[in-house]
Amino acid sequence: MKKLFVFFVTVLCLSIVISCSNKKEQADNLPQMVEVELSINPDPGKMNQPISFEAKVTQGNDQVKDAEVIFEIWRAKDDKHEKVEIKHAEKGIYRLERSFSQEGTYYIISHVTARDMHNMPKKEFTIGTPSAPEDPNNKNSMDGMKMEDEGH
């Protein structure tokens, strides 16, 4: 009987050690976050001159070439937001060139979905003379938008 008890205690201890080891391995195997570096060149821009928007998408040291990327661009205090789907250009970079015929303060959000993750960096830029920026406390600004309208 004593041998049987020692055997069960040994098996129990081994199963606890193995279980703890598996949890550590699972934590070590969690995927890294998908990072998006959004850039605008030149900023400030000039009317009717091309502006280059780039979203560099990475996960750890990997360049993400299979992301779904949508740039959303609008002029401050304007209800009309333009959405453009962007294809991969090179080395994890998604690029759009666009000209603007109206001066003012503008915003861009890159909606990036890759590897079951979503990242939405936002930047402000100007074309010519800046206009009044959006009020960050205003519920009509992008920061306060209801996401169900976006299909998220």
Side-chain angles (χ1 to χ4, degrees):
M1 186 73 168
K2 187 175 179 183
K3 288 182 181 181
L4 187 58
F5 178 74
V6 170
F7 174 74
F8 282 126
V9 169
T10 304
V11 169
L12 180 64
C13 289
L14 283 174
S15 63
I16 290 172
V17 168
I18 290 171
S19 174
C20 290
S21 172
N22 286 341
K23 286 181 184 176
K24 183 179 181 340
E25 286 176 17
Q26 288 174 353
D28 291 342
N29 291 333
L30 287 176
Q32 292 180 310
M33 291 297 296
V34 170
E35 299 293 333
V36 180
E37 183 181 322
L38 182 59
S39 63
I40 303 163
N41 189 26
D43 184 19
K46 295 180 181 178
M47 279 185 13
N48 301 315
Q49 297 290 319
I51 304 289
S52 179
F53 303 96
E54 289 187 356
K56 183 174 183 181
V57 184
T58 57
Q59 185 177 35
N61 293 328
D62 294 339
Q63 300 166 347
V64 179
K65 300 173 184 175
D66 59 347
E68 177 185 315
V69 178
I70 297 173
F71 284 165
E72 181 174 2
I73 304 170
W74 72 99
R75 189 171 186 271
K77 300 184 180 184
D78 193 347
D79 290 334
K80 184 181 176 214
H81 293 210
E82 179 183 12
K83 293 182 181 178
V84 181
E85 187 169 347
I86 309 300
K87 299 295 180 195
H88 179 254
E90 61 185 353
K91 299 179 181 179
I93 296 174
Y94 297 77
R95 183 178 299 123
L96 172 70
E97 283 199 1
R98 177 67 37 100
S99 302
F100 297 87
S101 60
Q102 188 176 10
E103 289 187 325
T105 301
Y106 286 81
Y107 297 92
I108 182 169
I109 292 181
S110 60
H111 299 269
V112 177
T113 303
R115 302 176 183 176
D116 296 327
M117 295 181 203
H118 192 71
N119 196 329
M120 298 172 37
K122 175 181 177 182
K123 287 213 171 188
E124 179 180 294
F125 64 99
T126 57
I127 302 297
T129 305
S131 59
E134 291 186 345
D135 179 5
N137 298 321
N138 183 353
K139 294 196 185 241
N140 292 329
S141 75
M142 187 59 200
D143 293 333
M145 267 184 132
K146 295 178 183 172
M147 294 314 286
E148 59 265 15
D149 293 342
E150 299 294 318
H152 293 277

Coordinates of all heavy atoms in Angstrom, one line a residue, residues 20 40 60 66 96 106 151:
C20 N 2.9 23.0 -15.5 CA 3.5 24.4 -15.4 C 4.5 24.6 -16.5 O 4.6 25.8 -17.0 CB 4.2 24.5 -14.0 SG 3.1 24.5 -12.6
I40 N 4.1 60.4 -43.5 CA 3.5 61.3 -44.5 C 4.7 62.2 -45.0 O 5.4 62.7 -44.2 CB 2.5 62.2 -43.8 CG1 1.4 61.4 -43.2 CG2 1.9 63.2 -44.8 CD1 0.5 62.1 -42.2
G60 N 7.3 41.7 -35.1 CA 8.7 41.4 -34.6 C 9.7 41.8 -35.7 O 9.7 43.0 -36.1
D66 N 1.0 40.5 -46.3 CA -0.3 40.0 -46.6 C -1.4 40.7 -45.7 O -2.4 40.1 -45.4 CB -0.4 38.5 -46.4 CG 0.0 38.1 -44.9 OD1 0.5 38.9 -44.2 OD2 -0.3 36.9 -44.6
L96 N 0.4 55.0 -50.7 CA -0.6 55.8 -51.5 C -0.1 57.2 -51.8 O 0.5 57.8 -50.9 CB -1.9 55.9 -50.7 CG -3.0 56.8 -51.3 CD1 -3.6 56.2 -52.5 CD2 -4.1 57.1 -50.3
Y106 N -5.7 68.1 -42.2 CA -6.3 66.8 -42.6 C -5.8 65.7 -41.6 O -4.9 65.9 -40.8 CB -5.8 66.4 -44.0 CG -6.4 67.1 -45.1 CD1 -5.9 68.4 -45.5 CD2 -7.4 66.6 -45.9 CE1 -6.4 69.1 -46.5 CE2 -8.0 67.3 -46.9 CZ -7.5 68.6 -47.3 OH -8.0 69.2 -48.3
G151 N -18.1 48.6 -39.5 CA -18.1 47.2 -39.8 C -17.0 46.4 -39.0 O -16.6 45.4 -39.4

